[in-house]
């Protein structure tokens, strides 16, 4: 089993102005006996390398935290209590690392907590998804939503990698509804497309949203409304940061210019958080070494920041 390293809170200094608190201040408080959200990092991009992608996502968890813990609590929303459990360290073989992540996430879900995971390669969507499906496989059919430029359903003929997580979930015995959203036709093979549809997954591409003439929010709600909102049910929301357009996500392994605009995505994202019980949010493949500035990590931090709040 891979090791879990506790977070070094000294990397995120406490903001001393009592009138200007930051999320990072909570890291310096005594650990609560009970909390709502557990934060976990995956500083590992071995799966990206094995999928012949550009590496750098091992630096994602630290980069996201550096911006997330500098942010201020939302002035009109309630900050959930959270605890940062540190990182699943990349030791041992990749399947062992995935299993360690799965076991850690399952422990938190069994304790009744939500999980915010920071990648790291998108192969850890398997760890998060497998734990989620183990916990929420009862009478209410769980929902898995993958926001991604890629389907990531490659058959693991030569082992697991960042392209295999949803193949593994779909081939498991778990019963769940599945949505692939933000896909781009330039980087998905027909065989992979057919595999998703054969397993009753629904696919929505960026191109069809743009060609519809509707807003991102309106088109996705029209296509998925009943699936998303017929009941408030447990949901795993996986966000591969390369789903966003290159100008917003240059710090990722495989972003494309015709990706999602985060301004268009935000209303849909907040609707999901309001209407669904998002028990696990995974944000993957932030690779800070692949861009000159910190824009991609900041985008991930804003997504995480919103998840850590709830309406008053």
């Amino acid at each position: 089993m891979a090791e879990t390293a506790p977070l070094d809170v000294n990397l995120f200094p406490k903001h001393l102005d009592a009138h200007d608190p930051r999320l990072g201040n909570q890291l310096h408080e005594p650990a609560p006996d009970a909390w709502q959200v557990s934060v976990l990092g995956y500083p590992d991009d071995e799966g990206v390398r094995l999928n012949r992608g550009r590496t750098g996502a091992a630096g994602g968890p630290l980069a996201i935290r550096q911006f997330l813990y500098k942010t201020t609590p939302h002035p009109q929303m309630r900050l959930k209590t959270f605890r940062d459990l540190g990182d699943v360290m990349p030791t041992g073989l990749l399947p062992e690392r995935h299993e360690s992540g799965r076991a850690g996430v399952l422990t938190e879900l069994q304790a009744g907590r939500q999980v915010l995971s920071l990648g790291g390669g998108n192969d850890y969507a398997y760890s998060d998804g497998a734990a989620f499906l183990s916990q929420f496989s009862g009478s209410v059919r769980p929902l898995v939503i993958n926001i991604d430029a890629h389907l990531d359903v490659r058959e693991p003929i030569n082992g697991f990698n960042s392209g295999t997580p949803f193949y593994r979930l779909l081939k498991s015995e778990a019963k769940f509804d599945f949505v692939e959203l933000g896909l781009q036709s330039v980087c998905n093979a027909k065989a992979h497309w057919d595999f998703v549809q054969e397993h009753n997954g629904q696919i929505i591409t960026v191109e069809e949203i743009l060609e519809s003439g509707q807003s991102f929010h309106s088109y996705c709600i029209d296509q998925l409304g009943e699936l998303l909102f017929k009941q408030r049910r447990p949901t795993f929301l996986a966000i591969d940061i390369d789903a966003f357009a290159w100008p917003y996500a240059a710090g990722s392994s495989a972003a494309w210019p015709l990706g999602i605009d985060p301004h268009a995505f935000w209303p849909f994202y907040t609707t999901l958080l309001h209407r669904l019980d998002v028990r696990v949010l995974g944000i993957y493949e932030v690779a800070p070494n692949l861009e000159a500035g910190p824009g991609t990590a900041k985008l991930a931090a804003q997504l995480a920041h919103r998840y850590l709040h709830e309406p008053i």
Side-chain angles (χ1 to χ4, degrees):
M1 301 288 286
E3 298 179 8
T4 300
L7 188 70
D8 181 358
V9 299
N10 295 317
L11 296 173
F12 315 99
K14 183 175 182 179
H15 204 261
L16 299 179
D17 185 344
H19 298 289
D20 186 17
R22 306 300 170 95
L23 264 63
N25 285 8
Q26 197 169 127
L27 302 175
H28 297 267
E29 301 298 327
D33 293 330
W35 61 96
Q36 293 170 276
V37 183
S38 296
V39 182
L40 187 68
Y42 298 123
D44 184 9
D45 54 16
E46 177 69 5
V48 176
R49 184 189 69 79
L50 292 171
N51 199 29
R52 294 180 289 184
R54 300 186 303 160
T55 57
L62 177 59
I64 297 169
R65 286 178 171 121
Q66 285 175 330
F67 294 108
L68 175 63
Y69 292 143
K70 288 181 181 178
T71 62
T72 56
H74 195 293
Q76 296 178 310
M77 301 186 78
R78 180 183 295 109
L79 177 63
K80 300 173 186 176
T81 55
F82 69 89
R83 185 173 179 183
D84 195 313
L85 302 180
D87 293 329
V88 175
M89 298 307 294
T91 57
L93 298 176
L94 194 58
E96 295 175 298
R97 304 177 200 178
H98 292 165
E99 173 54 26
S100 185
R102 186 202 65 81
V105 171
L106 183 58
T107 296
E108 300 310 303
L109 295 176
Q110 289 174 335
R113 294 185 277 267
Q114 297 171 290
V115 174
L116 169 62
S117 71
L118 309 174
N122 199 39
D123 44 303
Y124 281 95
Y126 170 77
S127 302
D128 293 339
F132 167 79
L133 293 172
S134 293
Q135 180 64 14
F136 299 104
S137 57
S139 58
V140 177
R141 189 176 177 93
L143 175 63
V144 175
I145 304 174
N146 180 37
I147 311 292
D148 200 336
H150 308 86
L151 293 165
D152 285 335
V153 291
R154 294 182 181 276
E155 187 175 357
I157 298 172
N158 297 314
F160 304 138
N161 58 55
S162 64
T164 64
F166 295 102
Y167 178 94
R168 298 172 70 186
L169 292 180
L170 289 170
K171 293 293 278 187
S172 71
E173 296 182 358
K175 305 299 182 184
F176 60 97
D177 289 328
F178 183 47
V179 176
E180 297 255 32
L181 199 159
L183 283 299
Q184 297 203 43
S185 60
V186 296
C187 51
N188 289 284
K190 184 178 184 301
H192 299 156
W193 190 288
D194 292 343
F195 175 84
V196 172
Q197 293 186 324
E198 287 165 4
H199 287 79
N200 299 312
Q202 187 160 350
I203 300 171
I204 296 180
T205 68
V206 168
E207 293 98 327
E208 68 183 87
I209 297 171
L210 293 173
E211 292 165 9
S212 74
Q214 296 180 254
S215 69
F216 188 100
H217 182 273
S218 295
Y219 185 82
C220 292
I221 295 301
D222 284 351
Q223 297 298 310
L224 303 172
E226 183 178 355
L227 183 65
L228 296 178
F229 307 131
K230 60 184 177 182
Q231 61 185 136
R232 182 175 173 81
R233 55 176 164 160
T235 302
F236 167 39
L237 180 57
I239 302 178
D240 186 327
I241 209 72
D242 72 18
F244 294 96
W246 180 272
Y248 305 105
S252 62
S253 176
W256 289 85
L258 199 66
I260 297 171
D261 181 330
H263 304 87
F265 176 72
W266 194 261
F268 180 70
Y269 176 59
T270 56
T271 296
L272 295 181
L273 297 184
H274 279 130
R275 299 291 297 274
L276 296 170
D277 183 13
V278 180
R279 303 306 302 174
V280 181
L281 170 65
I283 305 174
Y284 312 104
E285 303 218 353
V286 172
N289 63 306
L290 297 179
E291 64 180 337
T296 307
K298 282 190 169 183
L299 172 58
Q302 287 185 287
L303 294 167
H305 178 274
R306 179 60 185 80
Y307 183 63
L308 289 174
H309 287 82
E310 58 189 359
I312 294 175

